Structure formats: C-alpha cells, structure tokens
Amino acid sequence: MFEMVEVSPIRSEAEYEAALAEVEKLMSARPGTQEGERLDVLVTLIEAYEARHHKIEAPDPIALIEFAMEQQGLDRTALEPMIGRRGRVSEILSRRRPLTLAMIRRLQSDLRLPVDVLVRPYRLNSVKRKRSQRSVGANRRGGQAAAG
C-alpha cells in the first residue's frame, strides 16, 4: 500500500513551472511505484491547468495543409490529386476559393489531416476583378446600357 501522494492544485504560473520541472525529474519513474503515482497526478494537474490557462487554438484549414506539406516535404503538385489542377490548388492555398467536401475527404484520407480542422471556417481573400473585365458588357453594347 502506498502513502497518499501529497499534491495541490496548480494555481499560478510559478506553481505550473515547478510542476513541469518535477515531472521532468519523474519521467523515468516506473508505473505502480510511489514516484510513478506522483507523476500521474502531476500530469493530470498540469493538463487541467493548461486547459484553463494555455489554450492552443487549432490552425485554420489552409495553415494546416501548408504545415503538413512542409512536414512531409510536399510541393503544390502533390496536392493536385486531392484538390484538383494546378490553378485550383493555387486558388485554395491563396484563400480565393473554399475547400469542398470532396477535397476535405481526400486531404483527410491521403494526408491524414484531422477533419475537425479541415471543416473549420476560415477567411477567404476576395478576388478583385480588373476594370477591363467589368466593362466588357458595356463595350459590347457600344458603351451604353441596353435599352429595356
């Protein structure tokens, strides 16, 4: 039978740092020993403190794809089977077009990316059309609006 492991909740950043240092010392503790039990309790307390004070937001889908590409040594052409032709890959990575459900499924399957991140909303960059493209209809009508 073990003695009760004496610990208390982590309430400050200093206590958090001290707990991390102690966990580092106890990392080689064997399960089932008093040190192993203390390690388990400290890890649980650290996780609870981090959940309240050190929240890490999940990346947006495009940042996740770019990170996966970097980690796996992939270039944009590697995304073509999952996203589409080169132009479509460019539109997705430059945030001009959103991911589709089919793209998300292929990215999850092929790159093993978490679906819960891929489906998150993210900011799209608006595409500004050139003036010459906007006025094409007016030019066809001799510069005048069509009579109605």
Side-chain angles (χ1 to χ4, degrees), residues 5 22 25 52 54 71 87 92 106 126:
V5 177
E22 188 169 352
K25 292 176 188 173
R52 284 190 309 270
H54 294 262
Q71 293 297 303
I92 295 294
R106 289 188 296 262
S126 62

Side-chain angles (χ1 to χ4, degrees), residues 2 6 12 14 18 40 48 57 60 64 67 79-80 83 85-86 92-93 98 130 143:
F2 293 112
E6 289 185 35
S12 69
D40 287 344
E57 288 292 320
D60 76 17
L64 176 65
F67 178 76
L79 297 179
E80 289 178 14
I83 293 177
R85 294 188 175 159
R86 184 176 65 185
I92 295 294
L93 294 181
K130 294 179 184 175

Side-chain angles (χ1 to χ4, degrees), residues 17-122:
E17 294 295 333
L20 287 175
E22 188 169 352
V23 162
E24 191 173 327
K25 292 176 188 173
L26 294 172
M27 286 304 288
S28 61
R30 296 178 64 192
T33 64
Q34 188 170 357
E35 291 82 16
E37 296 298 315
R38 184 167 183 81
L39 175 63
D40 287 344
V41 171
L42 284 171
V43 167
T44 301
L45 291 172
I46 288 169
E47 288 173 346
Y49 183 83
E50 287 176 341
R52 284 190 309 270
H53 301 283
H54 294 262
K55 291 181 183 173
I56 299 173
E57 288 292 320
D60 76 17
I62 303 307
L64 176 65
I65 293 167
E66 290 170 339
F67 178 76
M69 289 172 62
E70 180 182 324
Q71 293 297 303
Q72 297 178 34
L74 303 175
D75 61 11
R76 288 177 172 226
T77 58
L79 297 179
E80 289 178 14
M82 296 162 261
I83 293 177
R85 294 188 175 159
R86 184 176 65 185
R88 183 59 42 96
V89 171
S90 177
E91 290 174 327
I92 295 294
L93 294 181
S94 63
R95 301 170 184 269
R96 289 190 314 258
R97 180 180 293 272
L99 289 166
T100 66
L101 183 57
M103 291 174 192
I104 290 169
R105 286 180 175 151
R106 289 188 296 262
L107 288 163
Q108 188 280 324
S109 174
D110 295 0
L111 297 180
R112 302 286 183 225
L113 300 178
V115 171
D116 61 317
V117 176
L118 291 173
V119 298
R120 289 184 66 177
Y122 61 96

